[in-house]
Amino acid sequence: MLGTDAHLEVTEPVHLVQHSQFRWTFNNSVNIVRVFSDNTNRTHDNYKNRATISGDYSLLLKNLQQVDKGYYTAVFLSDVDKCLAEYSITVEDLVSAPELTVESVSNNSDLCVLTVNCSAQDSHIQSTLRYDANNCSLLEGETSKVTADGASLQIKLVNCSVSCNHRNHVSELKAVKKIQHFCPTKSASNKTTQVVIPVTVIGICLVLSIGLFLKRKFSVQRKIYFTQSRMK
């Protein structure tokens, strides 16, 4: 990981003899450190404060940076050269949080089609989803991509939940959303209808009851008025 140290070990003992030499190389072109038969050593200028070699000839490379990505080789040079160790180092930082957006294309109680956008840093992928009777499926589009920094971006669909995954060798982050939140269902529509109908019936009955009450009250008052008039 970026900023950490790497300890590279030699797989077998090293015995320097006259005119022999041991070295650690980077990408078969840069001699990081060389140890001579008189036990003196020389370190490349670019590694003087970052690379140290121990008594067993293992290499400690400090504070790894992106430029340190590559191949490292331990070589014993004598009458016959011999490779004692090989390493491939990948330097990666923690991934950033991905962004997931879901947009409706076709939305009704029978079928729901959605566009899913998954993005992180400078990378983006898009897919189309279908939701029908609690069944979800990917229809088309790009579901995975390798980003410029070597990480991966991926759209996954599990149990009608869609996720946008951003990962590399050292970390992984994801954003998840449920498809049902973006699609109406028949059961939901029926439930709404079942709620609306009783409320409507109750409202009509209430209006009729009030009207009937007022009508009776008016009839009684009118009868009383006529009675009083006759008595006069």
Side-chain angles (χ1 to χ4, degrees):
M1 192 173 85
L2 190 70
T4 59
D5 300 341
H7 184 253
L8 311 182
E9 297 181 342
V10 178
T11 56
E12 56 184 275
V14 177
H15 301 288
L16 292 177
V17 296
Q18 192 173 10
H19 304 303
S20 65
Q21 183 184 136
F22 174 84
R23 65 177 63 169
W24 277 99
T25 65
F26 174 59
N27 286 340
N28 296 320
S29 59
V30 178
N31 293 320
I32 301 172
V33 61
R34 290 180 290 169
V35 183
F36 304 99
S37 58
D38 60 358
N39 285 325
T40 59
N41 62 70
R42 183 178 299 171
T43 303
H44 193 282
D45 290 342
N46 293 341
Y47 292 90
K48 281 193 173 177
N49 295 318
R50 299 185 51 232
T52 58
I53 191 166
S54 62
D56 61 356
Y57 297 90
S58 62
L59 178 71
L60 178 62
L61 194 60
K62 302 175 182 178
N63 189 25
L64 291 174
Q65 302 299 312
Q66 292 291 348
V67 294
D68 296 319
K69 179 181 178 180
Y71 296 95
Y72 293 79
T73 309
V75 182
F76 176 75
L77 291 86
S78 185
D79 295 336
V80 177
D81 296 343
K82 185 177 183 180
C83 179
L84 303 181
E86 289 182 291
Y87 293 91
S88 176
I89 291 182
T90 299
V91 182
E92 296 180 336
D93 201 357
L94 298 176
V95 297
S96 61
E99 181 179 355
L100 174 64
T101 61
V102 180
E103 300 173 356
S104 175
V105 176
S106 174
N107 197 340
N108 56 62
S109 60
D110 296 319
L111 174 64
C112 186
V113 179
L114 304 168
T115 296
V116 177
N117 294 285
C118 173
S119 59
Q121 295 176 335
D122 297 328
S123 298
H124 172 264
I125 52 178
Q126 185 181 83
S127 291
T128 302
L129 297 181
R130 173 191 176 102
Y131 178 78
D132 183 12
N134 294 321
N135 294 316
C136 303
S137 60
L138 285 167
L139 293 181
E140 59 184 1
E142 192 175 19
T143 57
S144 63
K145 183 178 184 178
V146 177
T147 64
D149 59 359
S152 67
L153 200 60
Q154 187 175 25
I155 292 175
K156 288 185 176 181
L157 184 62
V158 180
N159 296 328
C160 285
S161 289
V162 62
S163 66
C164 173
N165 297 9
H166 189 204
R167 63 177 299 179
N168 60 16
H169 293 90
V170 297
S171 64
E172 178 178 7
L173 291 174
K174 64 175 65 176
V176 181
K177 292 186 178 181
K178 289 185 176 295
I179 297 301
Q180 293 93 323
H181 293 168
F182 301 91
C183 298
T185 61
K186 286 184 177 181
S187 58
S189 300
N190 292 338
K191 185 177 181 181
T192 302
T193 302
Q194 292 170 1
V195 171
V196 171
I197 291 176
V199 170
T200 303
V201 171
I202 291 173
I204 293 173
C205 292
L206 183 60
V207 171
L208 291 175
S209 298
I210 293 173
L212 183 61
F213 172 77
L214 292 176
K215 182 178 180 181
R216 288 179 177 177
K217 183 178 180 180
F218 177 76
S219 298
V220 170
Q221 290 177 343
R222 186 177 179 184
K223 183 176 181 181
I224 293 173
Y225 173 76
F226 284 151
T227 304
Q228 291 176 346
S229 297
R230 291 176 180 176
M231 290 176 64
K232 289 180 181 181

